[in-house]
Amino acid sequence: MTGEAKPMTVEREARIKIAVQKSGRLTDNSLGLLRRCGLNYSRAADQLICFGENMPVDVLLVRDDDIPSLIAEGVCQLGLVGLNVLLEKSVEGAGLMTARRVGDVEFGRCRLSLAVPRGMSYLGPTDLAGRRIATSYPRILSRWLAEQGIEADIVTLSGAVEIAPKLGRADLICDLVSTGSTLSANGLEEVEVILESHVVLVSGDTPVDAESAELVQRLISRIDGVVRVQEAKYIMLHAPRSALDEIKALLPGSEAPTVMPLDGIDDKVAIHAVCQENVFWETLEGLKRAGASSVLVLPVEKMLA
Ligand code: PRP
Ligand code: ZN
């Protein structure tokens, strides 16, 4: 596609595997992220392993809940998984968790929340005492309840948590909320956030050969670059010389803008800057008030620190 990595021969070459959710909220973004890292692979329907065509990196498509243990066991060297799943599977006593968090990836934002049937009163954690709470996150929930000093019954379910109150299996639930549509479709109301979650890139500490370790680092730094670039913008504008300092100060997250003369116009300069933060309309309006004109904001395609 982009062709930045040369096709390599496959014999006796180190290959690494990255685990990605097979089908769910994170799948499309995770696969898109890997493609933006320059990884080309073909994916047939129902295929569980995708062979990297231009890098010795294969993509393993699995249930997100299995990703931490696949990394801890050394089956995969990297994985993209929600912080919620990572914490749930790495709480003390889970046994096999040695995966570590290597970087935050900015998608898959969601929260693990308590939700009660509409109409049930909830004024605070003390209302949970003695209640039955259905969840697929018993470890995170029990830790949170212990912190609150509350004793409640945790009903562990592996799926369909949202219908547990209707079935009489629980009084309320603790589940992931993203858009909130699952809750409202089931007559539930979010009352307490117990964890803010997003996707993390995870690597394990199972020893690998030097070549594989180098590949892992290369993929981590490409993913870092792609994530950093998501918000980065390249700004170009014209500014009165007299307002130079004010305008530089307004450019969000830019270190050292380039300032260039404009042919035939002595009292104005051109400023080019890479801004590491999102550039909002408010910022542009502020720049304009300070005297900037001809403002252009461009996306940045690649960045390597
Ligand atoms: C979560 C959760 C809900 C849904 C909430 O499932 O269990 O079903 O997302 O999203 P909404 O607020 O946008 O309706 P997830 O995608 O994590 O799948 P899994 O629990 O089966 O892994
Ligand atoms: Zn899951």
Side-chain angles (χ1 to χ4, degrees):
M1 195 172 57
T2 45
E4 61 255 79
K6 287 203 185 81
M8 297 177 182
T9 49
V10 288
E11 49 184 40
R12 289 183 193 287
E13 169 189 71
R15 295 192 76 84
I16 60 164
K17 289 191 196 74
I18 179 163
V20 163
Q21 187 184 30
K22 190 172 76 172
S23 62
R25 283 174 311 116
L26 311 178
T27 310
D28 288 348
N29 280 321
S30 301
L31 293 174
L33 176 65
L34 295 178
R35 286 194 195 277
R36 272 181 286 140
C37 287
L39 181 62
N40 292 347
Y41 54 85
S42 48
R43 184 191 178 194
D46 293 336
Q47 199 178 337
L48 296 187
I49 184 153
C50 303
F51 192 76
E53 290 165 355
N54 61 338
M55 279 177 86
V57 177
D58 300 327
V59 183
L60 204 64
L61 294 152
V62 293
R63 282 187 59 212
D64 61 344
D65 310 55
D66 294 334
I67 292 176
S69 53
L70 285 169
I71 294 170
E73 289 161 12
V75 176
C76 295
Q77 291 68 45
L78 288 169
L80 289 166
V81 72
L83 180 62
N84 50 300
V85 170
L86 182 62
L87 291 177
E88 180 63 25
K89 304 293 174 182
S90 63
V91 179
E92 303 74 28
L96 30 75
M97 193 56 217
T98 51
R100 68 186 166 89
R101 182 171 160 168
V102 292
D104 290 342
V105 178
E106 290 295 308
F107 60 81
R109 283 200 178 279
C110 61
R111 46 203 190 271
L112 186 63
S113 292
L114 296 175
V116 301
R118 220 169 274 136
M120 176 178 150
S121 123
Y122 178 86
L123 299 172
T126 49
D127 285 351
L128 300 170
R131 297 281 196 175
R132 293 166 306 155
I133 311 174
T135 191
S136 310
Y137 296 89
R139 293 194 174 95
I140 297 176
L141 177 59
S142 67
R143 232 189 350 199
W144 183 85
L145 287 169
E147 278 162 21
Q148 307 297 318
I150 300 293
E151 282 195 29
D153 287 340
I154 297 178
V155 180
T156 303
L157 300 176
S158 57
V161 169
E162 61 277 3
I163 59 167
K166 243 182 243 156
L167 298 178
R169 299 186 72 183
D171 301 308
L172 68 150
I173 68 165
C174 171
D175 201 8
L176 283 192
V177 184
S178 172
T179 59
S181 60
T182 303
L183 290 188
S184 70
N186 288 280
L188 297 164
E189 232 173 339
E190 185 177 7
V191 291
E192 185 100 57
V193 176
I194 71 169
L195 175 78
E196 297 275 0
S197 183
H198 49 90
V199 172
V200 286
L201 172 65
V202 179
S203 79
D205 50 16
T206 310
V208 288
D209 59 89
E211 218 182 320
S212 302
E214 200 266 332
L215 273 172
V216 168
Q217 283 316 313
R218 204 159 68 167
L219 200 57
I220 290 174
S221 83
R222 285 196 188 185
I223 289 176
D224 278 350
V226 170
V227 171
R228 224 167 322 123
V229 139
Q230 275 171 2
E231 296 220 310
K233 293 282 179 279
Y234 193 81
I235 295 196
M236 302 193 285
L237 54 87
H238 291 174
R241 277 187 194 279
S242 55
L244 201 54
D245 288 339
E246 190 187 349
I247 285 180
K248 279 204 256 180
L250 286 171
L251 293 170
S254 80
E255 266 176 24
T258 310
V259 179
M260 288 165 289
L262 284 167
D263 193 27
I265 309 173
D266 288 339
D267 57 343
K268 281 190 176 182
V269 288
I271 301 181
H272 290 196
V274 174
C275 293
Q276 301 286 0
E277 296 159 31
N278 222 333
V279 179
F280 296 104
W281 282 107
E282 288 71 14
T283 310
L284 300 184
E285 287 156 3
L287 288 167
K288 197 156 181 245
R289 275 195 299 276
S293 56
S294 307
V295 184
L296 274 182
V297 181
L298 307 175
V300 176
E301 191 181 295
K302 289 192 180 62
M303 195 187 279
L304 211 56

